[in-house]
Amino acid sequence: MARILTGIQSSGTPHLGNLLGAIIPAIKLSKDSKNESLFFIADMHSLTSIRDPKSLKENTYATAAAWIAFGFNTEKNIFYRQSDIPEVTELMWYLNCITPFPMLTNAHSFKDKSSKVHNVNTGLFTYPILMAADILLYDADIVPVGKDQKQHLEMTRDMVGFFNNIYGDTLTLPQSKIDEKVMTIPGIDGRKMSKSYNNFINVFLPDKKLRKQIMAIQTDSKGIKESKDPQSCNVFKIYTLLASDGDIEQMEKNYSGGNYGYGHAKQALYELIIDKYSSERSRFNKLMDQQDLIENQLQKGAKKARIIAQSVLKRVRAKVGYKNMT
């Protein structure tokens, strides 16, 4: 049996890119009876950028609601909040003490902001070490990651090598899993869909707000009568990630045939999202209206997660030379 671990930051309600790139593929993996899945909300990572306690709490519930709404079985698997597992910060310290400083300076999460280093907090600098602790604390075998997180997973594997070389075989070496089909989800401006770019589509918005967001997708200036190239259109690129082969083929014909405007394509995308995610949108809203149910699920998951975490940390403490807690 493979143990699969996935985490997602609570930096806001998961958008379409999060759903297609991380949440839906991870839930699919969790439904395989050969797998054991641990999914967590990385609310400690979110502190590198979020300072408002109310927002952090609301974002955590919204993230949890999205996972549950899309079918993650919290009874069969383990679903928890990162900050409910204090063992992760202790393991992080042990990893801090064996990780070379230059390795962290090469991390994308740091280099992307290093031109304004005075704005880089230490949490952002050591982000890869906390991520490694998240993974190694549970003896994870497989970690589904996006292309932007691949480097951090490789750094985690390096940390395993450093630690095991010093203390002997202690930490499990994880493998990354990248879905090549949905490696990058385009946003409404054509760049990678991201909250930091404010170019995302939030499928959980009320109908009118969702439609307004989709209608804001950037396109070229070709008129309604002109033939259009679907492959260069942001609307079409997003549509192909959700639609059936037959609908995609028809949309291509609409583009090339003329007398079909971008407004028509955006409306078709809007209707597709409304239809495709109708039940998930309904479940999400019900959960957000009953956040005590979400909290209950997270607390139950934390109890199960800590059993594994404490077992691994006991092994690590013994190898380092510390007395284990009783």
Side-chain angles (χ1 to χ4, degrees):
M1 176 178 284
R3 179 172 288 169
I4 299 171
L5 183 138
T6 298
I8 185 170
Q9 281 199 44
S10 52
S11 55
T13 301
H15 55 65
L16 184 61
N18 300 139
L19 294 171
L20 297 178
I23 294 177
I24 294 173
I27 291 174
K28 184 178 179 180
L29 284 174
S30 75
K31 292 180 179 179
D32 186 335
S33 60
K34 297 177 182 177
N35 297 330
E36 178 187 16
S37 294
L38 289 85
F39 292 174
F40 71 95
I41 300 168
D43 59 333
M44 294 176 71
H45 285 290
S46 299
L47 279 178
T48 61
S49 58
I50 296 177
R51 299 289 183 270
D52 178 49
K54 184 178 179 181
S55 295
L56 184 65
K57 182 178 180 180
E58 193 71 11
N59 290 346
T60 296
Y61 286 140
T63 304
W67 280 100
I68 297 171
F70 270 81
F72 184 62
N73 188 329
T74 58
E75 298 299 324
K76 174 179 176 284
N77 303 292
I78 301 177
F79 186 53
Y80 60 99
R81 178 171 39 209
Q82 182 187 31
S83 61
D84 288 334
I85 316 296
E87 290 80 6
V88 73
T89 52
E90 183 175 348
L91 179 57
M92 181 187 179
W93 178 251
Y94 301 147
L95 296 175
N96 268 329
C97 295
I98 54 92
T99 301
F101 180 87
M103 189 167 84
L104 295 180
T105 63
N106 287 323
H108 298 318
S109 54
F110 170 71
K111 290 180 73 174
D112 290 347
K113 297 180 175 62
S114 59
S115 61
K116 297 182 179 179
V117 72
H118 59 281
N119 291 329
V120 177
N121 57 65
T122 307
L124 181 65
F125 184 68
T126 58
Y127 177 103
I129 301 181
L130 180 56
M131 178 175 168
D134 288 326
I135 296 166
L136 302 178
L137 190 60
Y138 302 97
D139 285 337
D141 299 303
I142 299 172
V143 183
V145 292
K147 185 179 180 181
D148 59 337
Q149 291 292 329
K150 183 180 179 181
Q151 185 202 38
H152 289 156
L153 199 281
E154 291 171 349
M155 293 170 71
T156 297
R157 289 170 58 85
D158 287 340
M159 290 179 218
V160 172
F162 299 148
F163 193 96
N164 288 354
N165 185 55
I166 298 169
Y167 298 108
D169 189 18
T170 309
L171 300 172
T172 299
L173 187 68
Q175 302 289 332
S176 64
K177 181 178 178 59
I178 300 175
D179 189 337
E180 301 290 340
K181 296 179 181 177
V182 291
M183 191 170 291
T184 301
I185 311 301
I188 63 175
D189 60 358
R191 293 182 294 176
K192 175 188 173 183
M193 189 175 291
S194 171
K195 295 184 183 75
S196 61
Y197 295 150
N198 195 31
N199 66 348
F200 57 87
I201 294 174
N202 179 358
V203 304
F204 301 113
L205 286 174
D207 292 5
K208 289 184 178 179
K209 290 184 177 180
L210 174 59
R211 186 177 185 278
K212 183 178 179 180
Q213 212 169 54
I214 292 171
M215 288 296 169
I217 297 175
Q218 295 178 14
T219 60
D220 61 36
S221 58
K222 288 185 177 179
I224 190 169
K225 294 183 179 181
E226 295 180 83
S227 175
K228 300 168 183 64
D229 176 18
Q231 303 306 323
S232 64
C233 177
N234 294 330
V235 183
F236 182 79
K237 289 176 182 177
I238 299 171
Y239 187 85
T240 59
L241 297 172
L242 303 172
S244 66
D245 290 343
D247 287 339
I248 293 172
E249 184 178 346
Q250 181 59 52
M251 182 67 84
E252 285 183 302
K253 291 179 180 177
N254 292 340
Y255 270 72
S256 59
N259 291 312
Y260 189 82
Y262 290 120
H264 294 117
K266 292 175 183 180
Q267 179 65 25
L269 175 60
Y270 164 72
E271 292 174 1
L272 174 61
I273 290 175
I274 289 290
D275 180 64
K276 189 176 184 71
Y277 297 134
S278 174
S279 58
E280 289 85 354
R281 281 159 48 87
S282 177
R283 284 196 293 267
F284 176 88
N285 289 324
K286 288 179 181 178
L287 284 165
M288 291 303 290
D289 287 337
Q290 302 179 68
Q291 294 182 1
D292 56 320
L293 297 180
I294 301 175
E295 182 63 33
N296 180 258
Q297 293 296 322
L298 293 173
Q299 290 299 321
K300 288 168 64 177
K303 289 180 180 178
K304 292 189 286 186
R306 289 196 72 187
I307 293 172
I308 302 172
Q310 289 169 351
S311 174
V312 172
L313 193 59
K314 181 178 180 180
R315 185 171 75 228
V316 171
R317 287 180 64 89
K319 288 294 184 75
V320 170
Y322 291 147
K323 181 180 182 295
N324 272 294
M325 304 292 186
T326 56

